[in-house]
Amino acid sequence: MNSTVAALLGSAITAGASLFLVLVQSRLRRRHRKQTDLQRAYVLMLSGALRLAHKVEALRQTRYWRSGLREVGDQLFGGQKPLDPMVLHDWLARDMTTVEDAWSQIWTSGDQDGIALANGLMTAFNGVMDAAMTSSGTESFEATDEMVVATRRLGEARGQLALHARRVAKLGPRDVDLFTDREYAAVPA
């Protein structure tokens, strides 16, 4: 009976240890998956905001080039279709959906600094959108131009969020200069 009890006790200890190990591994995988999803959200938000800023600049240019008497004449004589607001909405929404999903992921999984920086990025993007829609497209690109200032703020907001994402993910050096003047030339093979 003694050897039977010892065998049962050994089996119970082995089963308990195995179960404990499986639970720890499962928890670690779940934590790693959440961390990976959050990191992906940061990347999608950074890249999506940049794509949207490029689209906003295209809208600004379109607004400049498709205004005036020439545009009216082209539309009257069938040379060019007018801009359809719903087509324009769908064009922007493709990238905006990605940014909104990433922003929501950061809101539900990120820390307080990440949420604040993501909100700041969206505020900066809205500043770019406002500057593009209020400009005539004829202004010079000087340091005081609203579009240049808004774009610079968007770049700074993207940089702050990127540095935070690096800190959270503990990837590579945490304090790097993203807006460096240093460039590396391609080395000939």
PDB file of all heavy atoms in Angstrom, residues 11-50:
ATOM      1  N   SER A  11       2.400  10.826  -9.076  1.00  0.00           N
ATOM      2  CA  SER A  11       1.592  11.144 -10.260  1.00  0.00           C
ATOM      3  C   SER A  11       0.852  12.466 -10.069  1.00  0.00           C
ATOM      4  O   SER A  11       0.759  13.292 -10.985  1.00  0.00           O
ATOM      5  CB  SER A  11       0.584  10.034 -10.546  1.00  0.00           C
ATOM      6  OG  SER A  11       1.230   8.853 -10.884  1.00  0.00           O
ATOM      7  N   ALA A  12       0.332  12.676  -8.863  1.00  0.00           N
ATOM      8  CA  ALA A  12      -0.392  13.921  -8.584  1.00  0.00           C
ATOM      9  C   ALA A  12       0.549  15.115  -8.654  1.00  0.00           C
ATOM     10  O   ALA A  12       0.203  16.173  -9.201  1.00  0.00           O
ATOM     11  CB  ALA A  12      -1.063  13.850  -7.217  1.00  0.00           C
ATOM     12  N   ILE A  13       1.759  14.977  -8.122  1.00  0.00           N
ATOM     13  CA  ILE A  13       2.741  16.064  -8.175  1.00  0.00           C
ATOM     14  C   ILE A  13       3.134  16.340  -9.623  1.00  0.00           C
ATOM     15  O   ILE A  13       3.209  17.498 -10.057  1.00  0.00           O
ATOM     16  CB  ILE A  13       3.972  15.725  -7.299  1.00  0.00           C
ATOM     17  CG1 ILE A  13       3.589  15.769  -5.824  1.00  0.00           C
ATOM     18  CG2 ILE A  13       5.121  16.672  -7.591  1.00  0.00           C
ATOM     19  CD1 ILE A  13       4.671  15.279  -4.884  1.00  0.00           C
ATOM     20  N   THR A  14       3.366  15.292 -10.389  1.00  0.00           N
ATOM     21  CA  THR A  14       3.716  15.461 -11.802  1.00  0.00           C
ATOM     22  C   THR A  14       2.580  16.116 -12.573  1.00  0.00           C
ATOM     23  O   THR A  14       2.800  17.036 -13.371  1.00  0.00           O
ATOM     24  CB  THR A  14       4.061  14.099 -12.434  1.00  0.00           C
ATOM     25  OG1 THR A  14       5.123  13.499 -11.693  1.00  0.00           O
ATOM     26  CG2 THR A  14       4.461  14.248 -13.878  1.00  0.00           C
ATOM     27  N   ALA A  15       1.357  15.659 -12.338  1.00  0.00           N
ATOM     28  CA  ALA A  15       0.198  16.246 -13.020  1.00  0.00           C
ATOM     29  C   ALA A  15       0.011  17.705 -12.616  1.00  0.00           C
ATOM     30  O   ALA A  15      -0.242  18.571 -13.464  1.00  0.00           O
ATOM     31  CB  ALA A  15      -1.068  15.449 -12.710  1.00  0.00           C
ATOM     32  N   GLY A  16       0.173  18.009 -11.339  1.00  0.00           N
ATOM     33  CA  GLY A  16       0.043  19.390 -10.864  1.00  0.00           C
ATOM     34  C   GLY A  16       1.105  20.287 -11.459  1.00  0.00           C
ATOM     35  O   GLY A  16       0.824  21.421 -11.896  1.00  0.00           O
ATOM     36  N   ALA A  17       2.345  19.787 -11.476  1.00  0.00           N
ATOM     37  CA  ALA A  17       3.439  20.573 -12.070  1.00  0.00           C
ATOM     38  C   ALA A  17       3.207  20.784 -13.559  1.00  0.00           C
ATOM     39  O   ALA A  17       3.439  21.879 -14.085  1.00  0.00           O
ATOM     40  CB  ALA A  17       4.769  19.875 -11.810  1.00  0.00           C
ATOM     41  N   SER A  18       2.743  19.757 -14.240  1.00  0.00           N
ATOM     42  CA  SER A  18       2.468  19.884 -15.678  1.00  0.00           C
ATOM     43  C   SER A  18       1.352  20.886 -15.934  1.00  0.00           C
ATOM     44  O   SER A  18       1.450  21.730 -16.836  1.00  0.00           O
ATOM     45  CB  SER A  18       2.086  18.532 -16.273  1.00  0.00           C
ATOM     46  OG  SER A  18       3.151  17.627 -16.167  1.00  0.00           O
ATOM     47  N   LEU A  19       0.301  20.804 -15.147  1.00  0.00           N
ATOM     48  CA  LEU A  19      -0.817  21.741 -15.284  1.00  0.00           C
ATOM     49  C   LEU A  19      -0.361  23.167 -15.005  1.00  0.00           C
ATOM     50  O   LEU A  19      -0.710  24.100 -15.740  1.00  0.00           O
ATOM     51  CB  LEU A  19      -1.955  21.335 -14.342  1.00  0.00           C
ATOM     52  CG  LEU A  19      -3.210  22.203 -14.404  1.00  0.00           C
ATOM     53  CD1 LEU A  19      -3.827  22.149 -15.794  1.00  0.00           C
ATOM     54  CD2 LEU A  19      -4.210  21.753 -13.360  1.00  0.00           C
ATOM     55  N   PHE A  20       0.444  23.337 -13.958  1.00  0.00           N
ATOM     56  CA  PHE A  20       0.976  24.658 -13.626  1.00  0.00           C
ATOM     57  C   PHE A  20       1.818  25.197 -14.778  1.00  0.00           C
ATOM     58  O   PHE A  20       1.697  26.371 -15.159  1.00  0.00           O
ATOM     59  CB  PHE A  20       1.804  24.583 -12.337  1.00  0.00           C
ATOM     60  CG  PHE A  20       2.441  25.882 -11.970  1.00  0.00           C
ATOM     61  CD1 PHE A  20       1.689  26.929 -11.438  1.00  0.00           C
ATOM     62  CD2 PHE A  20       3.798  26.074 -12.169  1.00  0.00           C
ATOM     63  CE1 PHE A  20       2.275  28.136 -11.114  1.00  0.00           C
ATOM     64  CE2 PHE A  20       4.400  27.275 -11.843  1.00  0.00           C
ATOM     65  CZ  PHE A  20       3.637  28.316 -11.311  1.00  0.00           C
ATOM     66  N   LEU A  21       2.656  24.370 -15.356  1.00  0.00           N
ATOM     67  CA  LEU A  21       3.504  24.783 -16.478  1.00  0.00           C
ATOM     68  C   LEU A  21       2.664  25.176 -17.689  1.00  0.00           C
ATOM     69  O   LEU A  21       2.949  26.182 -18.345  1.00  0.00           O
ATOM     70  CB  LEU A  21       4.463  23.639 -16.830  1.00  0.00           C
ATOM     71  CG  LEU A  21       5.696  24.020 -17.619  1.00  0.00           C
ATOM     72  CD1 LEU A  21       6.525  25.018 -16.859  1.00  0.00           C
ATOM     73  CD2 LEU A  21       6.512  22.773 -17.918  1.00  0.00           C
ATOM     74  N   VAL A  22       1.641  24.401 -17.989  1.00  0.00           N
ATOM     75  CA  VAL A  22       0.748  24.723 -19.108  1.00  0.00           C
ATOM     76  C   VAL A  22       0.045  26.053 -18.871  1.00  0.00           C
ATOM     77  O   VAL A  22      -0.072  26.886 -19.777  1.00  0.00           O
ATOM     78  CB  VAL A  22      -0.277  23.586 -19.337  1.00  0.00           C
ATOM     79  CG1 VAL A  22      -1.394  24.020 -20.276  1.00  0.00           C
ATOM     80  CG2 VAL A  22       0.423  22.352 -19.882  1.00  0.00           C
ATOM     81  N   LEU A  23      -0.420  26.290 -17.643  1.00  0.00           N
ATOM     82  CA  LEU A  23      -1.093  27.558 -17.320  1.00  0.00           C
ATOM     83  C   LEU A  23      -0.144  28.742 -17.448  1.00  0.00           C
ATOM     84  O   LEU A  23      -0.516  29.791 -17.988  1.00  0.00           O
ATOM     85  CB  LEU A  23      -1.685  27.497 -15.908  1.00  0.00           C
ATOM     86  CG  LEU A  23      -2.883  26.577 -15.711  1.00  0.00           C
ATOM     87  CD1 LEU A  23      -3.264  26.501 -14.238  1.00  0.00           C
ATOM     88  CD2 LEU A  23      -4.058  27.045 -16.547  1.00  0.00           C
ATOM     89  N   VAL A  24       1.083  28.585 -16.981  1.00  0.00           N
ATOM     90  CA  VAL A  24       2.072  29.668 -17.089  1.00  0.00           C
ATOM     91  C   VAL A  24       2.393  29.946 -18.552  1.00  0.00           C
ATOM     92  O   VAL A  24       2.423  31.109 -18.985  1.00  0.00           O
ATOM     93  CB  VAL A  24       3.348  29.321 -16.282  1.00  0.00           C
ATOM     94  CG1 VAL A  24       4.484  30.270 -16.622  1.00  0.00           C
ATOM     95  CG2 VAL A  24       3.060  29.343 -14.798  1.00  0.00           C
ATOM     96  N   GLN A  25       2.607  28.906 -19.333  1.00  0.00           N
ATOM     97  CA  GLN A  25       2.900  29.091 -20.756  1.00  0.00           C
ATOM     98  C   GLN A  25       1.730  29.749 -21.473  1.00  0.00           C
ATOM     99  O   GLN A  25       1.914  30.621 -22.312  1.00  0.00           O
ATOM    100  CB  GLN A  25       3.241  27.750 -21.409  1.00  0.00           C
ATOM    101  CG  GLN A  25       4.597  27.236 -21.040  1.00  0.00           C
ATOM    102  CD  GLN A  25       4.866  25.859 -21.639  1.00  0.00           C
ATOM    103  OE1 GLN A  25       3.943  25.141 -22.027  1.00  0.00           O
ATOM    104  NE2 GLN A  25       6.130  25.496 -21.711  1.00  0.00           N
ATOM    105  N   SER A  26       0.521  29.343 -21.149  1.00  0.00           N
ATOM    106  CA  SER A  26      -0.671  29.936 -21.765  1.00  0.00           C
ATOM    107  C   SER A  26      -0.768  31.423 -21.431  1.00  0.00           C
ATOM    108  O   SER A  26      -1.053  32.244 -22.296  1.00  0.00           O
ATOM    109  CB  SER A  26      -1.915  29.194 -21.289  1.00  0.00           C
ATOM    110  OG  SER A  26      -3.081  29.818 -21.756  1.00  0.00           O
ATOM    111  N   ARG A  27      -0.523  31.746 -20.173  1.00  0.00           N
ATOM    112  CA  ARG A  27      -0.578  33.158 -19.766  1.00  0.00           C
ATOM    113  C   ARG A  27       0.501  33.980 -20.458  1.00  0.00           C
ATOM    114  O   ARG A  27       0.256  35.104 -20.905  1.00  0.00           O
ATOM    115  CB  ARG A  27      -0.431  33.251 -18.253  1.00  0.00           C
ATOM    116  CG  ARG A  27      -0.574  34.649 -17.759  1.00  0.00           C
ATOM    117  CD  ARG A  27      -0.593  34.735 -16.282  1.00  0.00           C
ATOM    118  NE  ARG A  27      -0.719  36.132 -15.907  1.00  0.00           N
ATOM    119  CZ  ARG A  27      -0.827  36.547 -14.697  1.00  0.00           C
ATOM    120  NH1 ARG A  27      -0.864  35.681 -13.713  1.00  0.00           N
ATOM    121  NH2 ARG A  27      -0.918  37.821 -14.439  1.00  0.00           N
ATOM    122  N   LEU A  28       1.707  33.431 -20.555  1.00  0.00           N
ATOM    123  CA  LEU A  28       2.797  34.130 -21.235  1.00  0.00           C
ATOM    124  C   LEU A  28       2.481  34.340 -22.722  1.00  0.00           C
ATOM    125  O   LEU A  28       2.753  35.408 -23.284  1.00  0.00           O
ATOM    126  CB  LEU A  28       4.114  33.374 -21.071  1.00  0.00           C
ATOM    127  CG  LEU A  28       4.730  33.415 -19.674  1.00  0.00           C
ATOM    128  CD1 LEU A  28       5.954  32.507 -19.603  1.00  0.00           C
ATOM    129  CD2 LEU A  28       5.080  34.841 -19.289  1.00  0.00           C
ATOM    130  N   ARG A  29       1.891  33.325 -23.369  1.00  0.00           N
ATOM    131  CA  ARG A  29       1.502  33.458 -24.786  1.00  0.00           C
ATOM    132  C   ARG A  29       0.439  34.534 -24.951  1.00  0.00           C
ATOM    133  O   ARG A  29       0.489  35.341 -25.872  1.00  0.00           O
ATOM    134  CB  ARG A  29       0.998  32.120 -25.323  1.00  0.00           C
ATOM    135  CG  ARG A  29       2.072  31.252 -25.922  1.00  0.00           C
ATOM    136  CD  ARG A  29       1.481  30.109 -26.747  1.00  0.00           C
ATOM    137  NE  ARG A  29       0.576  29.252 -26.008  1.00  0.00           N
ATOM    138  CZ  ARG A  29       0.947  28.182 -25.307  1.00  0.00           C
ATOM    139  NH1 ARG A  29       2.209  27.866 -25.230  1.00  0.00           N
ATOM    140  NH2 ARG A  29       0.061  27.455 -24.660  1.00  0.00           N
ATOM    141  N   ARG A  30      -0.536  34.547 -24.050  1.00  0.00           N
ATOM    142  CA  ARG A  30      -1.608  35.538 -24.100  1.00  0.00           C
ATOM    143  C   ARG A  30      -1.040  36.951 -23.912  1.00  0.00           C
ATOM    144  O   ARG A  30      -1.388  37.878 -24.623  1.00  0.00           O
ATOM    145  CB  ARG A  30      -2.661  35.212 -23.044  1.00  0.00           C
ATOM    146  CG  ARG A  30      -4.010  35.769 -23.316  1.00  0.00           C
ATOM    147  CD  ARG A  30      -5.130  35.255 -22.400  1.00  0.00           C
ATOM    148  NE  ARG A  30      -4.768  34.956 -21.027  1.00  0.00           N
ATOM    149  CZ  ARG A  30      -4.664  33.730 -20.505  1.00  0.00           C
ATOM    150  NH1 ARG A  30      -4.907  32.676 -21.254  1.00  0.00           N
ATOM    151  NH2 ARG A  30      -4.342  33.539 -19.246  1.00  0.00           N
ATOM    152  N   ARG A  31      -0.137  37.100 -22.959  1.00  0.00           N
ATOM    153  CA  ARG A  31       0.488  38.402 -22.716  1.00  0.00           C
ATOM    154  C   ARG A  31       1.314  38.837 -23.929  1.00  0.00           C
ATOM    155  O   ARG A  31       1.272  39.995 -24.332  1.00  0.00           O
ATOM    156  CB  ARG A  31       1.372  38.341 -21.481  1.00  0.00           C
ATOM    157  CG  ARG A  31       1.983  39.687 -21.137  1.00  0.00           C
ATOM    158  CD  ARG A  31       2.901  39.617 -19.957  1.00  0.00           C
ATOM    159  NE  ARG A  31       2.201  39.175 -18.770  1.00  0.00           N
ATOM    160  CZ  ARG A  31       2.804  38.740 -17.673  1.00  0.00           C
ATOM    161  NH1 ARG A  31       4.113  38.694 -17.615  1.00  0.00           N
ATOM    162  NH2 ARG A  31       2.102  38.345 -16.626  1.00  0.00           N
ATOM    163  N   HIS A  32       2.058  37.899 -24.512  1.00  0.00           N
ATOM    164  CA  HIS A  32       2.863  38.211 -25.696  1.00  0.00           C
ATOM    165  C   HIS A  32       1.963  38.602 -26.873  1.00  0.00           C
ATOM    166  O   HIS A  32       2.263  39.528 -27.623  1.00  0.00           O
ATOM    167  CB  HIS A  32       3.743  37.015 -26.067  1.00  0.00           C
ATOM    168  CG  HIS A  32       4.566  37.241 -27.282  1.00  0.00           C
ATOM    169  ND1 HIS A  32       5.621  38.122 -27.320  1.00  0.00           N
ATOM    170  CD2 HIS A  32       4.473  36.717 -28.532  1.00  0.00           C
ATOM    171  CE1 HIS A  32       6.139  38.135 -28.534  1.00  0.00           C
ATOM    172  NE2 HIS A  32       5.464  37.279 -29.289  1.00  0.00           N
ATOM    173  N   ARG A  33       0.841  37.907 -27.030  1.00  0.00           N
ATOM    174  CA  ARG A  33      -0.098  38.219 -28.117  1.00  0.00           C
ATOM    175  C   ARG A  33      -0.684  39.621 -27.926  1.00  0.00           C
ATOM    176  O   ARG A  33      -0.796  40.391 -28.873  1.00  0.00           O
ATOM    177  CB  ARG A  33      -1.192  37.156 -28.188  1.00  0.00           C
ATOM    178  CG  ARG A  33      -2.094  37.276 -29.399  1.00  0.00           C
ATOM    179  CD  ARG A  33      -3.048  36.105 -29.590  1.00  0.00           C
ATOM    180  NE  ARG A  33      -3.693  35.631 -28.379  1.00  0.00           N
ATOM    181  CZ  ARG A  33      -3.438  34.463 -27.784  1.00  0.00           C
ATOM    182  NH1 ARG A  33      -2.550  33.644 -28.297  1.00  0.00           N
ATOM    183  NH2 ARG A  33      -4.082  34.104 -26.685  1.00  0.00           N
ATOM    184  N   LYS A  34      -1.042  39.966 -26.688  1.00  0.00           N
ATOM    185  CA  LYS A  34      -1.562  41.314 -26.416  1.00  0.00           C
ATOM    186  C   LYS A  34      -0.505  42.371 -26.709  1.00  0.00           C
ATOM    187  O   LYS A  34      -0.804  43.419 -27.281  1.00  0.00           O
ATOM    188  CB  LYS A  34      -2.026  41.429 -24.963  1.00  0.00           C
ATOM    189  CG  LYS A  34      -3.327  40.739 -24.683  1.00  0.00           C
ATOM    190  CD  LYS A  34      -3.735  40.937 -23.235  1.00  0.00           C
ATOM    191  CE  LYS A  34      -5.052  40.236 -22.941  1.00  0.00           C
ATOM    192  NZ  LYS A  34      -5.456  40.414 -21.543  1.00  0.00           N
ATOM    193  N   GLN A  35       0.724  42.101 -26.314  1.00  0.00           N
ATOM    194  CA  GLN A  35       1.824  43.032 -26.566  1.00  0.00           C
ATOM    195  C   GLN A  35       2.056  43.196 -28.068  1.00  0.00           C
ATOM    196  O   GLN A  35       2.247  44.309 -28.558  1.00  0.00           O
ATOM    197  CB  GLN A  35       3.095  42.510 -25.888  1.00  0.00           C
ATOM    198  CG  GLN A  35       4.215  43.494 -25.841  1.00  0.00           C
ATOM    199  CD  GLN A  35       4.034  44.505 -24.731  1.00  0.00           C
ATOM    200  OE1 GLN A  35       3.123  44.398 -23.927  1.00  0.00           O
ATOM    201  NE2 GLN A  35       4.889  45.483 -24.689  1.00  0.00           N
ATOM    202  N   THR A  36       2.006  42.104 -28.809  1.00  0.00           N
ATOM    203  CA  THR A  36       2.183  42.153 -30.255  1.00  0.00           C
ATOM    204  C   THR A  36       1.038  42.920 -30.922  1.00  0.00           C
ATOM    205  O   THR A  36       1.270  43.727 -31.817  1.00  0.00           O
ATOM    206  CB  THR A  36       2.270  40.723 -30.827  1.00  0.00           C
ATOM    207  OG1 THR A  36       3.353  40.042 -30.207  1.00  0.00           O
ATOM    208  CG2 THR A  36       2.464  40.732 -32.330  1.00  0.00           C
ATOM    209  N   ASP A  37      -0.189  42.684 -30.474  1.00  0.00           N
ATOM    210  CA  ASP A  37      -1.336  43.409 -31.020  1.00  0.00           C
ATOM    211  C   ASP A  37      -1.232  44.902 -30.749  1.00  0.00           C
ATOM    212  O   ASP A  37      -1.535  45.724 -31.621  1.00  0.00           O
ATOM    213  CB  ASP A  37      -2.651  42.870 -30.434  1.00  0.00           C
ATOM    214  CG  ASP A  37      -2.997  41.477 -30.923  1.00  0.00           C
ATOM    215  OD1 ASP A  37      -2.367  41.014 -31.898  1.00  0.00           O
ATOM    216  OD2 ASP A  37      -3.887  40.843 -30.310  1.00  0.00           O
ATOM    217  N   LEU A  38      -0.791  45.271 -29.558  1.00  0.00           N
ATOM    218  CA  LEU A  38      -0.630  46.683 -29.232  1.00  0.00           C
ATOM    219  C   LEU A  38       0.470  47.307 -30.077  1.00  0.00           C
ATOM    220  O   LEU A  38       0.304  48.413 -30.607  1.00  0.00           O
ATOM    221  CB  LEU A  38      -0.320  46.847 -27.737  1.00  0.00           C
ATOM    222  CG  LEU A  38      -0.160  48.276 -27.228  1.00  0.00           C
ATOM    223  CD1 LEU A  38      -1.439  49.075 -27.469  1.00  0.00           C
ATOM    224  CD2 LEU A  38       0.198  48.271 -25.752  1.00  0.00           C
ATOM    225  N   GLN A  39       1.575  46.605 -30.244  1.00  0.00           N
ATOM    226  CA  GLN A  39       2.667  47.118 -31.080  1.00  0.00           C
ATOM    227  C   GLN A  39       2.194  47.296 -32.519  1.00  0.00           C
ATOM    228  O   GLN A  39       2.492  48.292 -33.165  1.00  0.00           O
ATOM    229  CB  GLN A  39       3.870  46.159 -31.021  1.00  0.00           C
ATOM    230  CG  GLN A  39       5.097  46.680 -31.715  1.00  0.00           C
ATOM    231  CD  GLN A  39       5.687  47.894 -31.036  1.00  0.00           C
ATOM    232  OE1 GLN A  39       5.434  48.147 -29.863  1.00  0.00           O
ATOM    233  NE2 GLN A  39       6.454  48.660 -31.759  1.00  0.00           N
ATOM    234  N   ARG A  40       1.416  46.351 -33.029  1.00  0.00           N
ATOM    235  CA  ARG A  40       0.873  46.456 -34.380  1.00  0.00           C
ATOM    236  C   ARG A  40      -0.069  47.659 -34.479  1.00  0.00           C
ATOM    237  O   ARG A  40      -0.093  48.370 -35.471  1.00  0.00           O
ATOM    238  CB  ARG A  40       0.160  45.160 -34.772  1.00  0.00           C
ATOM    239  CG  ARG A  40      -0.303  45.141 -36.210  1.00  0.00           C
ATOM    240  CD  ARG A  40      -0.955  43.844 -36.663  1.00  0.00           C
ATOM    241  NE  ARG A  40      -1.424  42.970 -35.622  1.00  0.00           N
ATOM    242  CZ  ARG A  40      -0.864  41.789 -35.311  1.00  0.00           C
ATOM    243  NH1 ARG A  40       0.175  41.367 -35.955  1.00  0.00           N
ATOM    244  NH2 ARG A  40      -1.362  41.045 -34.346  1.00  0.00           N
ATOM    245  N   ALA A  41      -0.840  47.911 -33.419  1.00  0.00           N
ATOM    246  CA  ALA A  41      -1.739  49.069 -33.408  1.00  0.00           C
ATOM    247  C   ALA A  41      -0.951  50.370 -33.493  1.00  0.00           C
ATOM    248  O   ALA A  41      -1.327  51.290 -34.219  1.00  0.00           O
ATOM    249  CB  ALA A  41      -2.618  49.049 -32.158  1.00  0.00           C
ATOM    250  N   TYR A  42       0.165  50.449 -32.755  1.00  0.00           N
ATOM    251  CA  TYR A  42       1.000  51.650 -32.835  1.00  0.00           C
ATOM    252  C   TYR A  42       1.522  51.849 -34.258  1.00  0.00           C
ATOM    253  O   TYR A  42       1.469  52.953 -34.806  1.00  0.00           O
ATOM    254  CB  TYR A  42       2.187  51.553 -31.871  1.00  0.00           C
ATOM    255  CG  TYR A  42       1.843  51.812 -30.422  1.00  0.00           C
ATOM    256  CD1 TYR A  42       2.202  50.908 -29.429  1.00  0.00           C
ATOM    257  CD2 TYR A  42       1.178  52.970 -30.028  1.00  0.00           C
ATOM    258  CE1 TYR A  42       1.906  51.140 -28.100  1.00  0.00           C
ATOM    259  CE2 TYR A  42       0.880  53.209 -28.700  1.00  0.00           C
ATOM    260  CZ  TYR A  42       1.248  52.294 -27.739  1.00  0.00           C
ATOM    261  OH  TYR A  42       0.947  52.536 -26.429  1.00  0.00           O
ATOM    262  N   VAL A  43       2.004  50.787 -34.855  1.00  0.00           N
ATOM    263  CA  VAL A  43       2.549  50.882 -36.213  1.00  0.00           C
ATOM    264  C   VAL A  43       1.459  51.274 -37.212  1.00  0.00           C
ATOM    265  O   VAL A  43       1.659  52.141 -38.068  1.00  0.00           O
ATOM    266  CB  VAL A  43       3.233  49.553 -36.623  1.00  0.00           C
ATOM    267  CG1 VAL A  43       3.572  49.541 -38.100  1.00  0.00           C
ATOM    268  CG2 VAL A  43       4.474  49.327 -35.779  1.00  0.00           C
ATOM    269  N   LEU A  44       0.285  50.652 -37.099  1.00  0.00           N
ATOM    270  CA  LEU A  44      -0.813  50.982 -38.016  1.00  0.00           C
ATOM    271  C   LEU A  44      -1.272  52.425 -37.839  1.00  0.00           C
ATOM    272  O   LEU A  44      -1.615  53.104 -38.814  1.00  0.00           O
ATOM    273  CB  LEU A  44      -1.983  50.023 -37.823  1.00  0.00           C
ATOM    274  CG  LEU A  44      -1.756  48.597 -38.307  1.00  0.00           C
ATOM    275  CD1 LEU A  44      -2.926  47.707 -37.913  1.00  0.00           C
ATOM    276  CD2 LEU A  44      -1.534  48.567 -39.803  1.00  0.00           C
ATOM    277  N   MET A  45      -1.277  52.905 -36.614  1.00  0.00           N
ATOM    278  CA  MET A  45      -1.685  54.285 -36.382  1.00  0.00           C
ATOM    279  C   MET A  45      -0.658  55.246 -36.964  1.00  0.00           C
ATOM    280  O   MET A  45      -1.017  56.247 -37.588  1.00  0.00           O
ATOM    281  CB  MET A  45      -1.876  54.540 -34.893  1.00  0.00           C
ATOM    282  CG  MET A  45      -2.485  55.885 -34.635  1.00  0.00           C
ATOM    283  SD  MET A  45      -3.397  55.860 -33.114  1.00  0.00           S
ATOM    284  CE  MET A  45      -4.166  57.443 -33.231  1.00  0.00           C
ATOM    285  N   LEU A  46       0.618  54.957 -36.794  1.00  0.00           N
ATOM    286  CA  LEU A  46       1.669  55.808 -37.340  1.00  0.00           C
ATOM    287  C   LEU A  46       1.642  55.832 -38.864  1.00  0.00           C
ATOM    288  O   LEU A  46       1.681  56.901 -39.481  1.00  0.00           O
ATOM    289  CB  LEU A  46       3.043  55.322 -36.854  1.00  0.00           C
ATOM    290  CG  LEU A  46       3.338  55.531 -35.374  1.00  0.00           C
ATOM    291  CD1 LEU A  46       4.564  54.732 -34.955  1.00  0.00           C
ATOM    292  CD2 LEU A  46       3.513  57.001 -35.065  1.00  0.00           C
ATOM    293  N   SER A  47       1.546  54.666 -39.473  1.00  0.00           N
ATOM    294  CA  SER A  47       1.553  54.611 -40.937  1.00  0.00           C
ATOM    295  C   SER A  47       0.249  55.139 -41.519  1.00  0.00           C
ATOM    296  O   SER A  47       0.244  55.823 -42.543  1.00  0.00           O
ATOM    297  CB  SER A  47       1.827  53.183 -41.420  1.00  0.00           C
ATOM    298  OG  SER A  47       0.807  52.312 -40.988  1.00  0.00           O
ATOM    299  N   GLY A  48      -0.874  54.848 -40.860  1.00  0.00           N
ATOM    300  CA  GLY A  48      -2.164  55.333 -41.353  1.00  0.00           C
ATOM    301  C   GLY A  48      -2.267  56.840 -41.307  1.00  0.00           C
ATOM    302  O   GLY A  48      -2.787  57.470 -42.228  1.00  0.00           O
ATOM    303  N   ALA A  49      -1.756  57.460 -40.245  1.00  0.00           N
ATOM    304  CA  ALA A  49      -1.787  58.925 -40.152  1.00  0.00           C
ATOM    305  C   ALA A  49      -0.936  59.546 -41.249  1.00  0.00           C
ATOM    306  O   ALA A  49      -1.308  60.581 -41.822  1.00  0.00           O
ATOM    307  CB  ALA A  49      -1.303  59.378 -38.775  1.00  0.00           C
ATOM    308  N   LEU A  50       0.181  58.924 -41.572  1.00  0.00           N
ATOM    309  CA  LEU A  50       1.030  59.445 -42.653  1.00  0.00           C
ATOM    310  C   LEU A  50       0.333  59.311 -44.007  1.00  0.00           C
ATOM    311  O   LEU A  50       0.345  60.247 -44.810  1.00  0.00           O
ATOM    312  CB  LEU A  50       2.368  58.705 -42.660  1.00  0.00           C
ATOM    313  CG  LEU A  50       3.421  59.250 -43.607  1.00  0.00           C
ATOM    314  CD1 LEU A  50       3.745  60.710 -43.281  1.00  0.00           C
ATOM    315  CD2 LEU A  50       4.680  58.400 -43.518  1.00  0.00           C
TER     316      LEU A  50
END
